[in-house]
Amino acid sequence: DGFTIDYDFGTTVGGFWEIEVEGEAGEEIIVRGSEKCGGKHTQRKLSQENILNWSDNHTGKYYYKNCNSRFILKGMGTEHYQPRFFFHGFRYLQVKVSNPEKVRIKSIWVHQLQNSIAERGRFECSDESLNQIHNMVVQTFRNNLLHGIPLSNTNSEKYGWTGDVHLFSEAASYSFETASFWTKWLNDFPDNQKWNGNNGKISVVVPELREKKVFINDVSWLSVYPRLLEEMLKSNHDKQIVKKHFPSLKKWYDYVYNHTDDGIASGVWGDHKIPGENKKSLGATRTMARLINTSYLYKVSMIMAELAQAIDEDSSNYLSKAEKIKTIFHKEFYLPQNGYFMENTSPEYFNYELAANLIALQCGIVADSLAGRISEFVQSQITNNNYRVPTGILGTKAYIDWFQKKDVD
């Protein structure tokens, strides 16, 4: 099967590889990359053949096994090869040569590709671990803006998942001059709406790059549309972009609200990607989807009222709907005997009430008379869990927001 060499470049980058070789004409070199290395760096079980592959329900080893570069040598001294029209997220490279006695690998490089978006602010402190984490976040963000849309990652999907952006847009706007980038991406939302039949609905991936139309009505994901407009209004005082998008935004909001159960929103994912997620826990987070999406619907209603007021539109409809949502939310999900909110009262799901209550606090749907009690419940849950926070991507952002506002140790 030839000879294989594995390379570790020490950090994950988004980009492409280049190889410098000498060898006989017709000899083949295969290069492929991966973010993880089987066995040593992950608990996933992998065959030796696919040592650099990693497998889960989203990407699978099929992707990495077939995402490679095949170079055929000319046999004319030193030759350079690199893939064209291609970029990829990887830390490890595997180079396979068909006849090692006929090929000499002289050098191998990694070329990192990043968006040149201007810096707006930077973070530095005395803790080098925090500095390193922040630098990794900045690098990731630059990598993921490469396509002109905010990518979920640089390896498998390369999709503009709306949920990813709404969780990170605030942090991104502290670090980068994002106004022009968000302006461009926001223009994809009305286009997506037209593509979906112009009845108001918008895909959770914008722009929609998949041939098959996959529509999921998760307010938590799609709340990025009004939230980004709110951010543009506050940070850039941009009323024109709100005026431009308000008809499309209103159409989306009406569609979402008209598909609720008298103000209770539906949903699919709940608190996505909780630690140690498996099929059972994924099902558990889905049991909170109604609670979480109703919390977000209340927040979206309040943002809609704010945007309407900013451009002299009537806001009373959104404010009245927000009050109705808050009232029915408490009737549907508050457990007075326990003193917190929960959607499913089965004991097997009670590891997930922390996210449910954090998100309710974050979205402002909790009644003033209960806010203190819910906050105490959240703090007790974290303390009793040995200061571990078992939340997914939505719950963790809500935890950060809650922690910043509380005088807690």
Side-chain angles (χ1 to χ4, degrees):
D1 291 334
F3 181 71
T4 300
I5 306 172
D6 296 338
Y7 295 86
D8 179 2
F9 287 91
T11 185
T12 300
V13 300
F16 61 92
W17 45 78
E18 178 184 355
I19 188 168
E20 181 184 62
V21 297
E22 288 181 352
E24 296 184 10
E27 293 301 316
E28 183 182 58
I29 300 173
I30 301 175
V31 185
R32 58 191 176 93
S34 176
E35 291 187 349
K36 297 176 184 280
C37 188
K40 183 178 179 181
H41 297 279
T42 177
Q43 294 181 353
R44 297 181 174 94
K45 295 180 179 179
L46 306 171
S47 68
Q48 285 298 311
E49 178 187 358
N50 299 319
I51 190 69
L52 290 186
N53 296 347
W54 63 285
S55 176
D56 63 14
N57 293 332
H58 238 23
T59 55
K61 60 186 179 183
Y62 168 83
Y63 171 78
Y64 281 115
K65 183 176 182 181
N66 289 280
C67 186
N68 57 49
S69 304
R70 291 174 176 263
F71 306 124
I72 308 298
L73 272 61
K74 298 177 182 177
M76 300 173 63
T78 299
E79 303 176 48
H80 287 260
Y81 293 97
Q82 67 185 50
R84 298 181 178 183
F85 310 110
F86 169 83
F87 83 102
H88 184 47
F90 62 96
R91 169 177 170 174
Y92 302 96
L93 285 183
Q94 186 177 82
V95 180
K96 185 175 182 179
V97 296
S98 52
N99 294 296
E101 68 277 4
K102 298 181 180 181
V103 176
R104 177 190 172 206
I105 299 173
K106 299 180 69 176
S107 300
I108 190 163
W109 296 271
V110 167
H111 296 274
Q112 182 163 283
L113 300 178
Q114 293 188 338
N115 190 300
S116 60
I117 187 170
E119 187 179 75
R120 187 178 193 179
R122 61 179 62 180
F123 170 85
E124 187 175 354
C125 70
S126 59
D127 189 321
E128 283 306 311
S129 295
L130 292 179
N131 292 337
Q132 184 179 4
I133 290 170
H134 178 72
N135 291 336
M136 290 163 61
V137 170
V138 168
Q139 175 174 296
T140 300
F141 188 70
R142 285 190 181 277
N143 287 154
N144 288 0
L145 292 188
L146 194 59
H147 267 181
I149 61 174
L151 304 179
S152 54
N153 58 67
T154 57
N155 47 42
S156 57
E157 295 176 322
K158 297 187 174 75
Y159 288 161
W161 282 102
T162 52
D164 297 52
V165 180
H166 108 249
L167 293 168
F168 191 67
S169 61
E170 181 184 10
S173 295
Y174 278 112
S175 296
F176 302 103
E177 296 289 353
T178 54
S180 60
F181 191 90
W182 297 144
T183 298
K184 181 273 164 194
W185 190 55
L186 283 166
N187 288 336
D188 293 330
F189 281 73
D191 290 344
N192 182 276
Q193 201 170 54
K194 293 175 184 177
W195 182 79
N196 269 309
N198 213 29
N199 60 357
K201 65 182 180 181
I202 298 174
S203 306
V204 290
V205 172
V206 176
E208 181 56 85
L209 304 177
R210 300 167 292 186
E211 293 183 11
K212 181 180 178 182
K213 292 186 179 182
V214 180
F215 178 70
I216 300 171
N217 192 23
D218 262 55
V219 187
S220 55
W221 255 237
L222 288 166
S223 67
V224 69
Y225 195 13
R227 286 165 73 99
L228 270 184
L229 289 170
E230 178 193 35
E231 186 175 308
M232 297 285 281
L233 179 65
K234 290 182 177 179
S235 61
N236 302 306
H237 309 289
D238 190 347
K239 291 186 179 182
Q240 291 304 313
I241 195 171
V242 178
K243 286 183 179 180
K244 176 182 177 180
H245 283 273
F246 200 78
S248 174
L249 184 63
K250 181 180 182 298
K251 188 181 290 187
W252 169 74
Y253 178 86
D254 291 342
Y255 178 89
V256 168
Y257 189 85
N258 291 335
H259 284 77
T260 65
D261 183 8
D262 197 29
I264 297 295
S266 61
V268 175
W269 288 304
D271 190 23
H272 192 49
K273 293 295 179 184
I274 62 172
E277 183 178 71
N278 52 41
K279 290 184 178 180
K280 181 178 179 181
S281 62
L282 180 60
T285 61
R286 283 175 174 167
T287 64
M288 297 193 301
R290 291 168 65 246
L291 186 157
I292 290 173
N293 280 284
T294 303
S295 299
Y296 271 94
L297 183 58
Y298 172 83
K299 178 66 174 177
V300 165
S301 300
M302 297 301 292
I303 295 175
M304 291 293 295
E306 179 186 358
L307 296 176
Q309 291 170 5
I311 59 173
D312 299 321
E313 294 276 349
D314 183 18
S315 63
S316 59
N317 176 51
Y318 306 112
L319 292 172
S320 63
K321 281 186 169 65
E323 285 305 308
K324 180 180 179 180
I325 294 167
K326 178 182 280 191
T327 299
I328 196 170
F329 177 85
H330 284 74
K331 290 181 179 178
E332 183 77 10
F333 301 119
Y334 184 63
L335 306 178
Q337 69 275 18
N338 300 91
Y340 53 76
F341 295 95
M342 193 61 189
E343 180 171 339
N344 193 307
T345 56
S346 175
E348 65 180 301
Y349 297 128
F350 269 69
N351 288 332
Y352 308 104
E353 69 270 24
L354 178 60
N357 287 269
L358 279 167
I359 292 169
L361 285 170
Q362 180 195 40
C363 291
I365 199 171
V366 179
D368 292 343
S369 59
L370 294 176
R373 184 173 185 181
I374 299 300
S375 187
E376 290 175 1
F377 166 74
V378 165
Q379 187 164 344
S380 67
Q381 284 292 101
I382 295 170
T383 303
N384 295 338
N385 199 41
N386 198 25
Y387 300 99
R388 295 182 178 90
V389 184
T391 50
I393 61 174
L394 300 180
T396 300
K397 178 62 167 66
Y399 165 72
I400 294 170
D401 290 349
W402 170 83
F403 190 83
Q404 290 180 107
K405 296 174 182 177
K406 297 298 295 179
D407 183 18
V408 294
D409 183 359

